[in-house]
Amino acid sequence: MSVDIYWRIGTHGDQPSLRRRVASRGEWAPVVPGSLAPGVRDGRRDGYSYVEHMGDVARASEVSGFVGGLLPSFPNTDDPWATAATLARETTTYRFMIAFQPGFLHPVQAARMSASLQRATGGRVVYNVISGGGGPDQLWWGDKVAHDDRYARTSEFLDVLRGVWDGGPYDFEGRFYRVRGAGLPEELTGQPFPEIYFSGSSKAAIDAAGRHADHYLSWLEPFHALREKFDQVRANSDRTPKFAVRIDVLARETEEEAWEEIRRGWDNIDPSVLRGATGDSIGWQRSQSFVTGAVNGHRDLEVTPNVWGGFHLLRGGPAFGLVGSYEQVAERLDELINLGVGAFILAGVPHLEEAYRVGENVLPLLRGRDLRVASPLLEGTPS
């Protein structure tokens, strides 16, 4: 069984560590002395842009053995489509997993954009299809469609996109889209259709994923909960599904070093980050349900060995990740592979340095599986 392991490229700046929740990299935070990409030298910006920093992360993760990188999309990020086109020339075989909400593009235009990128990059585009978490962020996009209807719209979107992919003419009449004689120009037809990583934890999401997903993508949860979710996807799939998990990793030489890093971040938590989410994301609600009982210290959020539910308090994003020694983190990843996970999106703060750390110290410890990696020199090399 081959396993694809992606890295996350922060499209909205980055923190120097998990010890303090403050951004110091990128233009999404105030650029002050001590900032990077751009930095301030002699009272002026040094001319090094955050796009160049994202290029550094892409190159670091490519050379460290990751097959590609996730490009997230939120109101406070660079656009992942434009970023993928920019970074493609900075890498060789590295894939770009573009996160997007189908409601904000017409499927025919999305097909043309994707086919153009596939032709330009040699087929290195991958989709992370998301249908939105609701709440203020969803309204930021001007989207008032209700939760379950967003997944119905996504399903129609993917039907149309596939329908026009190889040329057309293609007709479609649905609730959200109507096309007549649609198709791509001959020069763009025949490109490989991007793999689809499909996110969502609700029944509506799982039903849609069963129809369209190459990989059903979940945030990390306690392993028994992931097993149950995977079983639900299998029961609702028209084909044999594959699974992927998005995981933050804090791995160090020893378990004690890893937990000490978490403790130092915990001691600097801003109480304002303890407020709950405001959207209608079922995945977020699920993640909060796994922590029961009083939380008096950081280890109270370790729900099972090395599975820690407090990452959202130290940086933006999902709650659960892995904390431990290099060997322990590799063991937990191996356990997930044995549950049927065929792909991972790993992440660490800061993204650049942790790409090297995880690539050098964790990936080689995975046992009994072949990793598909970006570098042609390593293709097919067993770990």
Side-chain angles (χ1 to χ4, degrees), residues 19-143:
R19 299 173 193 173
R20 290 185 63 226
R21 187 169 173 162
V22 57
S24 69
R25 303 180 182 191
E27 296 151 304
W28 296 95
V31 178
V32 298
S35 296
L36 300 177
V40 176
R41 304 291 182 270
D42 298 324
R44 295 179 298 178
R45 294 192 181 193
D46 60 8
Y48 187 87
S49 73
Y50 186 62
V51 170
E52 292 172 292
H53 183 69
M54 288 191 288
D56 288 342
V57 177
R59 288 187 293 269
S61 49
E62 180 175 43
V63 76
S64 297
F66 294 91
V67 73
L70 167 67
L71 299 173
S73 179
F74 297 102
N76 63 326
T77 66
D78 278 305
D79 177 75
W81 295 93
T83 300
T86 301
L87 299 184
R89 290 184 177 273
E90 303 294 322
T91 56
T92 306
T93 60
Y94 196 77
R95 305 176 195 171
F96 293 94
M97 185 184 293
I98 298 172
F100 70 99
Q101 294 195 40
F104 312 141
L105 283 171
H106 194 280
V108 178
Q109 172 63 4
R112 185 174 69 158
M113 288 170 55
S114 302
S116 295
L117 272 174
Q118 290 292 62
R119 185 167 69 147
T121 65
R124 292 193 276 148
V125 174
V126 180
Y127 288 156
N128 173 202
V129 175
I130 52 181
S131 295
D137 279 358
Q138 203 66 23
L139 293 175
W140 183 92
W141 301 99
D143 186 21

Side-chain angles (χ1 to χ4, degrees), residues 247-329:
I247 306 175
D248 272 70
V249 169
L250 199 159
R252 294 294 185 266
E253 190 73 33
T254 67
E255 181 181 13
E256 292 74 21
E257 288 179 77
W259 284 113
E260 174 62 14
E261 191 74 10
I262 292 293
R263 184 199 64 77
R264 295 175 69 176
W266 182 269
D267 288 346
N268 287 297
I269 287 176
D270 180 344
S272 68
V273 304
L274 297 174
R275 64 183 183 273
T278 56
D280 57 6
S281 166
I282 302 301
W284 176 259
Q285 295 169 19
R286 277 176 61 93
S287 73
Q288 297 305 287
S289 73
F290 298 124
V291 177
T292 59
V295 177
N296 298 311
H298 63 284
R299 292 300 288 264
D300 293 330
L301 294 176
E302 186 183 14
V303 296
T304 58
N306 307 112
V307 178
W308 191 63
F311 274 93
H312 63 298
L313 303 175
L314 306 183
R315 54 93 187 100
F320 281 94
L322 296 177
V323 180
S325 68
Y326 301 138
E327 292 79 7
Q328 288 172 326
V329 169

